Amino acid sequence: MNPALRSAHSITEALSEVERVQLQKTLGTESHDPARLARALTSQDTLRNNLQRLSQDALDALKTWVLERGVWRSAPRMSRLAAGIEELGQHGWVFETAYGPYRRTAIMPWELMPHLLENLWEIPWDHLTSSTVERSPDPAPLWSPLIHDIFQIVSFARREPLLLTTQHEVYRRQLSKLESLMWERPHMSPSVTVHHMLNLAERLDLFEMHQNPHRLQVSAEANRLWRSGPSGVVREFSEYLFDPSHHVWPILPWVSLSSLLPANRALNISAAAAWLSKIGLASVQNTYWFDQALAELVAFDLWEMTGAGQGRLTHWAQAGIFGDFEESDPQSAIIQPTGEILVPPAVPLDERWDIDRLASPVKSDRVSIYRLDQPAVKAGVRQKLDAASHAAALTALARNPLPDNIRINLDDWYRAMGRHRVMEATLIHSQSAEDSRDLETLLGDDALERLSPTDIVIPAHRVKEILKRLAKAGSPLLDEVLRPSEATDDRRQSHDPPRYRPVWSIQLPGQAPAASLDVEEFRSVMQRALSNTHPVHLSYHVPGESQPRSEIVIPISVEPQWVQVYVVSQRRYVLVEWKQILDIEESEGPV
Amino acid sequence: MDNPLYDEARDSLASFAELLKSPEHMHTYQLSALSLWNALSAGLNAAQILDDLNRYAAYPVPETVAQFVRDQEVRFGRLKLVLAPDGDGLWLTSDDPLALTQVSRTKTVIPYLEGPIHPGYRIRPEYRGLLKQALAKAGWPVDDVAGYEPGSPLTLALRDQDSAGRRFQMREYQDDAVRAFWGEGRIDRGNGVVVLPCGAGKTVVGLGVMEAAQTHTLILTTSTAALHQWQREILQKTTLAPDQVGEYSAAVKDIRPVTITTYQMLTHRTHDRFPHFEALDQHPWGLIIYDEVHLLPAPMFRLTASLQARRRLGLTATLIREDGRAEDVFALIGPKRFDMPWKVLEQQGWIATAHCREIRVKLPEARREAYAVAEDAERVRIAAENPAKIPVVEELLAHHRDDFVLVIGQYLDQLEKMADHFHVPLITGKTPSRERERLYSAFRQGELPVLLVSKVGNFAIDLPDANVAIQISGTFGSRQEEAQRLGRILRPKSNGGQATFYSLVTEDTKEQEYAQKRQLFLCEQGYRYEIAHANADGSPREHWAPIIPFRELPR
């Protein structure tokens, strides 16, 4: 989740129901379905219509957004830029990402960039492009190199958690294995691809750490990612790649400009860079940064060179980034009597992810091959599956019924492997059998089982109660449990917070959660106090504190979203959001 | 397989791609330099191949694949292998000096380049196959136009009726196999391997090639029984007279225009010499036929290298070698020229319809303890010799009381126990040839309904009426052994009946794991194993038992 650069879909999906209804009114759509709203937001017709109605400030704000690579770095309050952004907000284009009460960023969907480039500037296409081989108009293949490679990385890590060196690098041994799994790209070393894909997977929070900081496991986020389909994957990916803080070089404007090319034209790289520089994009002609960015574009299969100094978006990028993917073909995997599962390229990603969980990968190509074997059953036992549920899960994913021999093999393997399990137990060890017998009487129902004359198994989750009870009964025990007894599953359920991405909420501008709704009244009291130069008694919420604060403050400036005050007791200036204010009372005397 | 274009696509792919496996739902083909090279030499071009691929492919052909096909077209024929201008060996030459430079810098090719003959290199004739293999692997298929030694001429023809008066005619696929190998006598053909399922008449393909070659022929087989089988077939189905067909074995050493010998004879070594090989090598053979070529013993690789100047036909049902030397077979004999999925022949009725069944037999408690503490090698044996298999075999024999049953095993102790228990004859390596022939003959004539055989019965025994095989133990995870054993019962039955193959394995042991591996080749050919479980006393377990017919018997 990128705070500064978001796609239209991820914005509309993050809005509350009320906000979506409000946006629906602004955009004039028939429903407030997130997908419908996203389409309306990025509609070229809507944009053209709106552009004609915008003031110069709003147009300048749009140009600034483009030239600053999809963000507004700073919009001073009371400035023309701030006014322009506010006006854009009234047209439903601007949203806010918020992290706590003070960190706010105005954002627009990045998909608007190509349309804005086209409408706000006169692009000298003849000068910027040359003719080339016509590109296919087909939709983007679902099982494409980028998706394939992320899938391979995550699939590998699910089977074999990635071990990290003290420098937070994946061990070379595992990197080599990952390199062999990457899509074969004639122009790119697999080690470079793995490097980029690992970065991407980490940024998308597909990994997490459990207790051990040198071990990356696949997080639950991966399930969500594959459920979101190819468009969802690309959405997350583009937010990462186009993030202006990710690359100094303006990748988003470059890709946007390239996406406007007709199917039989290629971009003259130096001419395009010069033109972008001329319209005000900084650093576009810096060759070092350009090389860095181009390498990444090529690694992710977004860009192809069509000749010396010429290039264009790949077929996949042109269709995929703008959400035009081939139709997926659910339940099209084939289970062969050999135990092989053939997964055609159009199998939905979430189904593929499930098959990957239920069978061992053999080969990943256009048609990927998995095998139902004993390691697959071991993985199933770990996931608490049994033969019937394993078979049912596979049948639900396949075109043909599970062959009988495979079904019986599953049965036999589960019976053989599920027969014995290693368990952890918490037990009380006594010095003598006599002591242990006494203890057993005291424990009553809490004594689950006797393992030996001196050992009694107790429930791990009742250790504290048992200790208290025994203490009361005159048989105090030491508090420490000598060996950890948490169940594996409990450990699995604990999640580390994402390491890279703070939890940003997203909302319509001016829609931050309010402590009080009577903002107008507070504003008028504050205006009055400001003009009378009277201090006010202010009660307000402070982030991170459970109790509201009450302070004598001197109003300094009244803004649409907040008020700046001088807190007398603390001798400092503070911005307070209107929604944080619980109560205001104007004092009688002057400051 | 369900696609309406399946037949069309299969025929098209067969002309330029290699069939790797053909299980029930989806078949796998591979485009290799060799398969494309064969296609190009047969007159196809890259554009036609790509057209066909695009026509039948569900997804666009990747550019890398298209480029590979085009590259092969460009490279094909650039290098030529011809007779050396001075008559000493062969000459690898090309019109393209850069291509020669490139191959001369290729590590895998360098060992076979003798010395320069401008433009190109001299090649020793014994390296002919190895060089071609190395060049193909390096992506430079060579156009071999050096030709073969013609051998002494021999007039022979296939009969319209065999010696017993039955009408005889080559089947269509046998004809195709002969044509694929012979290639109208083209100089770039005349060597290679024909892969056909057991019982599909590979011997007849050999006879067809002999008819096309019209030359003195040496036939190498795996055993004396197989040798005699070839002899019978030749005399029954060709115009050759008995005095034209010789046997070169331990008992008889008779070199005739068509001579049949065994691999063991050829590789027999005394004082660092191969006397039988040397005796046979003197004869002007124009064609050498390697029966069951997947069994080519390792010493034969060296000997075969010196036979490179003669036309060579390899015949096999299972081109898999557990020692991983299948590629060497290709290098020395030649590429795969013809292959036919087993199930296709079954559908056409050329081989019997077979049902494969695996019965997992419980290990008795007493044995289980021994199994648990045994070393790995010993475990395999304990599992294989599970005594609980005897009552299961008993049940099966009772069920198949009207059938002809072969019981095949690996361990002599186990086989002898079975023989004692069931009072049926046993054939092992120790059984004299004459006794073997007598027993096989009795089985063929229906006098013996059950025959126990050790691994000597794995190959090249023609027992047309055997319709049930019970495998009680095998060689670890050998896929080809499993397929060959099934092959014993695949010859089409005179009554049109079906064949049943049982594999008895001990449940939850190494043997069960090996069984999985063993079955892989047959599963890839489209066979499906039905699985059942039996208790230690041979009674079927309720679970999944209904698929095994013996449960229907009154107990």
Side-chain angles (χ1 to χ4, degrees):
Chain A
M1 201 190 292
N2 194 313
L5 191 127
R6 302 288 293 267
S7 69
H9 269 91
S10 75
I11 289 173
T12 53
E13 275 169 7
L15 293 177
S16 69
E17 183 81 3
V18 176
E19 287 171 328
R20 281 207 285 263
V21 171
Q22 198 175 328
L23 186 61
Q24 179 198 356
K25 282 181 198 158
T26 313
L27 297 175
T29 56
E30 287 171 4
S31 81
H32 62 281
D33 168 58
R36 177 67 69 88
L37 290 174
R39 271 201 302 279
L41 260 178
T42 52
S43 147
Q44 201 167 358
D45 294 337
T46 317
L47 183 128
R48 279 212 192 97
N49 291 338
N50 283 345
L51 282 180
Q52 289 167 3
R53 289 185 279 145
L54 292 179
S55 68
Q56 192 54 46
D57 283 352
L59 290 173
D60 288 345
L62 284 175
K63 283 189 175 178
T64 306
W65 183 77
V66 172
L67 297 177
E68 291 189 349
R69 299 175 287 149
V71 291
W72 287 288
R73 261 173 235 290
S74 61
R77 279 176 288 128
M78 312 297 285
S79 64
R80 288 183 59 200
L81 179 59
I85 294 171
E86 195 179 337
E87 186 183 336
L88 293 172
Q90 286 158 12
H91 285 88
W93 280 347
V94 174
F95 302 84
E96 270 184 352
T97 50
Y99 183 58
Y102 300 125
R103 292 180 63 184
R104 295 283 168 85
T105 312
I107 58 165
M108 283 210 305
W110 67 259
E111 293 97 327
L112 289 174
M113 175 93 53
H115 305 322
L116 291 176
L117 268 176
E118 201 175 23
N119 286 290
L120 297 177
W121 285 276
E122 192 68 39
I123 304 175
W125 285 119
D126 289 343
H127 176 58
L128 299 190
T129 63
S130 318
S131 64
T132 186
V133 182
E134 185 150 344
R135 188 178 21 223
S136 157
D138 297 337
L142 196 155
W143 192 231
S144 49
L146 173 71
I147 292 180
H148 169 274
D149 287 349
I150 306 174
F151 191 93
Q152 290 302 317
I153 297 255
V154 183
S155 159
F156 179 88
R158 174 153 73 173
R159 289 184 172 77
E160 187 180 325
L162 301 178
L163 303 178
L164 304 180
T165 63
T166 48
Q167 305 298 311
H168 196 80
E169 297 285 341
V170 176
Y171 269 95
R172 183 68 233 163
R173 178 177 57 81
Q174 289 188 314
L175 284 178
S176 303
K177 288 186 191 172
L178 287 172
E179 284 165 17
S180 67
L181 297 174
M182 294 295 102
W183 192 282
E184 199 175 315
R185 295 170 172 82
H187 50 271
M188 182 69 68
S189 151
S191 61
V192 177
T193 314
V194 167
H195 172 76
H196 281 103
M197 294 299 161
L198 280 173
N199 272 344
L200 175 59
E202 286 205 67
R203 296 285 169 159
L204 298 185
D205 275 344
L206 301 180
F207 298 136
E208 64 187 4
M209 296 168 181
H210 281 313
Q211 296 178 348
N212 185 345
H214 296 296
R215 190 179 157 95
L216 289 182
Q217 289 182 324
V218 173
S219 71
E221 190 72 5
N223 297 333
R224 191 196 59 74
L225 183 76
W226 303 123
R227 269 202 310 277
S228 69
S231 302
V233 176
V234 172
R235 235 170 10 239
E236 299 253 349
F237 158 71
S238 50
E239 287 176 9
Y240 157 73
L241 183 69
F242 299 150
D243 181 359
S245 61
H246 175 62
H247 259 296
V248 178
W249 197 76
I251 285 192
L252 177 57
W254 184 261
V255 169
S256 301
L257 183 67
S258 307
S259 73
L260 298 170
L261 294 179
N264 61 351
R265 306 291 289 177
L267 210 56
N268 295 329
I269 292 173
S270 55
W275 181 76
L276 285 173
S277 176
K278 191 176 152 195
I279 66 171
L281 262 167
S283 359
V284 71
Q285 285 186 300
N286 182 310
T287 48
Y288 174 74
W289 287 331
F290 172 76
D291 286 348
Q292 297 261 318
L294 196 66
E296 192 157 54
L297 286 173
V298 172
F300 288 131
D301 288 291
L302 298 188
W303 183 262
E304 62 184 0
M305 298 299 288
T306 54
Q310 294 176 0
R312 63 178 178 185
L313 291 183
T314 59
H315 164 231
W316 178 83
Q318 184 72 32
I321 289 184
F322 299 98
D324 182 17
F325 277 99
E326 67 177 335
E327 281 291 310
S328 61
D329 186 8
Q331 287 186 304
S332 55
I334 295 171
I335 305 175
Q336 304 252 59
T338 52
E340 283 181 340
I341 304 178
L342 306 178
V343 184
V347 163
L349 293 175
D350 53 341
E351 281 190 13
R352 187 182 284 272
W353 185 235
D354 273 345
I355 292 170
D356 187 80
R357 174 175 68 93
L358 298 167
S360 310
V362 176
K363 187 171 152 189
S364 180
D365 209 325
R366 287 257 281 253
V367 173
S368 303
I369 300 176
Y370 286 84
R371 188 181 289 284
L372 276 170
D373 51 11
Q374 296 198 30
V377 169
K378 280 183 188 166
V381 171
R382 285 190 196 104
Q383 295 164 44
K384 303 206 164 182
L385 293 177
D386 55 24
S389 53
H390 200 139
L394 281 168
T395 308
L397 297 168
R399 186 197 294 173
N400 59 321
L402 200 61
D404 282 343
N405 61 326
I406 301 295
R407 192 180 291 276
I408 297 169
N409 278 339
L410 279 181
D411 244 14
D412 279 2
W413 289 335
Y414 266 101
R415 183 176 43 70
M417 283 175 201
R419 223 183 276 166
H420 311 287
R421 291 302 308 270
V422 179
M423 310 282 281
E424 285 190 13
T426 304
L427 52 87
I428 300 181
H429 174 75
S430 308
Q431 282 199 335
S432 69
E434 196 180 334
D435 287 344
S436 189
R437 275 198 301 278
D438 292 347
L439 191 71
E440 193 172 6
T441 317
L442 291 175
L443 285 170
D445 289 345
D446 280 331
L448 292 182
E449 204 178 331
R450 176 169 285 287
L451 274 191
S452 74
T454 53
D455 296 295
I456 300 168
V457 180
I458 58 165
H461 65 280
R462 285 187 48 80
V463 171
K464 276 188 183 170
E465 290 88 336
I466 289 170
L467 289 177
K468 270 185 194 169
R469 189 164 142 194
L470 292 178
K472 276 184 188 170
S475 187
L477 269 68
L478 292 177
D479 286 348
E480 301 90 352
V481 178
L482 291 180
R483 294 181 64 186
S485 61
E486 297 91 30
T488 318
D489 295 334
D490 295 342
R491 235 181 4 207
R492 276 203 187 132
Q493 279 161 11
S494 70
H495 290 294
D496 296 332
R499 289 172 304 120
Y500 290 101
R501 297 188 294 177
V503 183
W504 286 80
S505 67
I506 192 160
Q507 60 207 23
L508 291 175
Q511 296 290 315
S516 163
L517 294 174
D518 208 359
V519 175
E520 285 311 314
E521 191 189 325
F522 293 158
R523 194 176 280 137
S524 65
V525 173
M526 202 58 95
Q527 285 284 12
R528 199 166 53 241
L530 184 65
S531 52
N532 295 340
T533 62
H534 282 175
V536 293
H537 190 93
L538 187 68
S539 298
Y540 64 103
H541 276 301
V542 177
E545 292 182 11
S546 55
Q547 297 298 318
R549 281 191 192 178
S550 288
E551 300 278 1
I552 303 290
V553 300
I554 300 164
I556 304 297
S557 141
V558 177
E559 304 287 348
Q561 288 182 46
W562 57 73
V563 58
Q564 189 177 30
V565 294
Y566 180 78
V567 183
V568 176
S569 64
Q570 298 174 19
R571 294 183 185 175
R572 68 188 184 99
Y573 294 92
V574 170
L575 280 177
V576 182
E577 296 239 358
W578 292 111
K579 291 95 205 169
Q580 289 173 249
I581 299 175
L582 294 170
D583 193 23
I584 293 181
E585 195 182 328
E586 189 181 349
S587 302
E588 287 306 313
V591 174
Chain B
M1 290 281 292
D2 304 332
N3 195 303
L5 292 177
Y6 164 71
D7 288 333
E8 220 177 288
R10 181 196 59 199
D11 293 346
S12 166
L13 287 173
S15 59
F16 56 81
E18 192 182 330
L19 175 66
L20 289 189
K21 48 189 167 184
S22 51
E24 203 168 321
H25 300 290
M26 198 179 279
H27 294 184
T28 308
Y29 288 81
Q30 186 179 40
L31 280 175
S32 64
L34 208 58
S35 70
L36 289 168
W37 170 39
N38 284 337
L40 294 166
S41 68
L44 282 174
N45 61 40
Q48 288 168 320
I49 293 170
L50 290 173
D51 273 356
D52 278 7
L53 284 175
N54 281 316
R55 186 176 318 130
Y56 299 116
Y59 309 98
V61 176
E63 189 46 39
T64 45
V65 174
Q67 198 53 49
F68 175 69
V69 175
R70 286 189 215 108
D71 277 357
Q72 295 313 309
E73 187 178 45
V74 172
R75 289 180 174 203
F76 175 71
R78 286 256 199 106
L79 294 175
K80 280 193 165 33
L81 194 62
V82 298
L83 286 173
D86 56 6
D88 181 14
L90 305 169
W91 181 29
L92 178 70
T93 184
S94 173
D95 297 337
D96 180 357
L98 285 177
L100 280 172
T101 308
Q102 194 169 335
V103 297
S104 69
R105 297 283 187 279
T106 306
K107 273 188 185 173
T108 49
V109 176
I110 290 169
Y112 309 121
L113 304 178
E114 171 101 344
I117 308 179
H118 186 75
Y121 296 89
R122 188 190 303 282
I123 307 294
R124 299 258 45 98
E126 59 266 32
Y127 292 150
R128 187 170 173 177
L130 294 168
L131 172 82
K132 280 159 68 177
Q133 170 92 354
L135 285 170
K137 275 189 184 163
W140 287 99
V142 61
D143 192 6
D144 182 356
V145 289
Y148 300 97
E149 283 180 16
S152 291
L154 172 68
T155 308
L156 83 148
L158 294 179
R159 293 170 186 261
D160 294 335
Q161 286 187 328
D162 66 14
S163 56
R166 287 171 299 202
R167 198 164 169 276
F168 168 69
Q169 192 186 5
M170 291 241 289
R171 298 167 189 161
E172 198 182 332
Y173 66 86
Q174 290 169 331
D175 221 21
D176 290 344
V178 172
R179 269 189 279 115
F181 172 82
W182 188 248
E184 306 300 331
R186 282 209 316 267
I187 208 160
D188 60 335
R189 293 295 168 107
N191 67 333
V193 178
V194 169
V195 185
L196 279 175
C198 308
K202 287 188 290 295
T203 313
V204 175
V205 173
L207 300 184
V209 170
M210 284 166 65
E211 188 191 29
Q214 299 282 318
T215 181
H216 283 211
T217 303
L218 176 66
I219 301 168
L220 309 177
T221 65
T222 53
S223 64
T224 317
L227 182 155
H228 291 151
Q229 217 160 273
W230 267 91
Q231 209 167 18
R232 270 198 305 275
E233 289 277 308
I234 291 170
L235 294 176
Q236 275 178 5
K237 292 176 177 147
T238 69
T239 54
L240 290 173
D243 63 344
Q244 290 177 294
V245 182
E247 171 184 341
Y248 193 97
S249 63
V252 188
K253 296 196 176 45
D254 204 1
I255 299 178
R256 301 281 174 83
V258 173
T259 301
I260 313 164
T261 185
T262 61
Y263 292 123
Q264 288 88 334
M265 287 300 293
L266 230 56
T267 53
H268 178 73
R269 192 173 180 169
T270 44
H271 306 296
D272 281 344
R273 291 181 59 219
F274 296 92
H276 303 305
F277 173 76
E278 283 165 14
L280 287 165
D281 197 30
Q282 303 298 317
H283 195 84
W285 308 113
L287 172 69
I288 299 169
I289 298 178
Y290 298 80
D291 191 22
E292 308 288 5
V293 70
H294 58 277
L295 289 179
L296 205 64
M300 273 299 292
F301 286 112
R302 198 145 51 88
L303 298 180
T304 310
S306 67
L307 300 175
Q308 287 287 316
R310 288 155 176 150
R311 292 186 195 275
R312 302 172 304 282
L313 167 67
L315 296 171
T316 180
T318 48
L319 236 180
I320 27 175
R321 285 182 69 103
E322 309 304 342
D323 63 0
R325 298 194 72 172
E327 284 296 310
D328 292 349
V329 172
F330 285 132
L332 296 169
I333 310 296
K336 183 159 72 173
R337 296 289 184 194
F338 187 82
D339 194 356
M340 192 86 175
W342 293 36
K343 280 286 169 183
V344 173
L345 286 180
E346 183 185 293
Q347 282 153 15
Q348 293 173 359
W350 296 120
I351 56 174
T353 302
H355 299 283
C356 299
R357 288 166 180 166
E358 178 187 323
I359 303 181
R360 295 179 181 167
V361 187
K362 222 171 167 44
L363 191 64
E365 277 307 314
R367 290 283 176 132
R368 180 155 283 287
E369 202 173 303
Y371 180 86
V373 296
E375 295 294 325
D376 269 359
E378 187 59 22
R379 280 182 181 189
V380 178
R381 184 144 191 171
I382 292 173
E385 294 186 331
N386 180 0
K389 289 181 180 178
I390 294 178
V392 177
V393 174
E394 198 166 351
E395 291 271 12
L396 293 173
L397 290 178
H399 180 73
H400 290 286
R401 64 177 81 84
D402 299 327
D403 295 313
F404 291 93
V405 184
L406 274 178
V407 181
I408 313 177
Q410 165 84 3
Y411 298 105
L412 293 181
D413 289 352
Q414 183 190 27
L415 286 162
E416 280 161 6
K417 269 183 203 157
M418 289 255 182
D420 286 348
H421 185 89
F422 296 113
H423 306 294
V424 290
L426 165 67
I427 295 177
T428 68
K430 286 185 277 183
T431 313
S433 287
R434 190 166 294 174
E435 175 65 3
R436 281 192 216 184
E437 293 287 343
R438 189 187 67 77
L439 291 170
Y440 285 141
S441 171
F443 188 83
R444 278 189 206 106
Q445 284 159 20
E447 294 161 12
L448 267 179
V450 181
L451 193 56
L452 271 165
V453 283
S454 71
K455 63 180 180 181
V456 296
N458 285 357
F459 309 102
I461 314 168
D462 190 8
L463 301 169
D465 285 325
N467 60 351
V468 176
I470 303 173
Q471 174 177 251
I472 52 173
S473 52
T475 317
F476 304 103
S478 170
R479 294 162 293 169
Q480 55 108 334
E481 184 179 79
E482 183 96 351
Q484 289 288 347
R485 285 178 172 179
L486 170 69
R488 297 312 100 213
I489 53 171
L490 281 186
R491 280 170 176 76
K493 311 301 162 213
S494 46
N495 59 1
Q498 301 190 339
T500 314
F501 179 74
Y502 293 97
S503 179
L504 271 52
V505 301
T506 301
E507 192 178 40
D508 297 342
T509 62
K510 273 270 180 213
E511 198 183 25
Q512 192 179 320
E513 282 174 38
Y514 285 135
Q516 293 279 317
K517 285 187 190 165
R518 294 172 65 85
Q519 292 163 10
L520 201 58
F521 176 78
L522 288 177
C523 285
E524 285 175 354
Q525 289 295 335
Y527 289 93
R528 188 188 273 203
Y529 276 79
E530 297 164 311
I531 301 172
H533 298 77
N535 289 319
D537 62 356
S539 59
R541 290 225 299 274
E542 65 298 330
H543 187 45
W544 293 108
I547 63 160
I548 299 297
F550 70 173
R551 201 192 179 205
E552 294 155 16
L553 289 175
R555 295 189 51 79

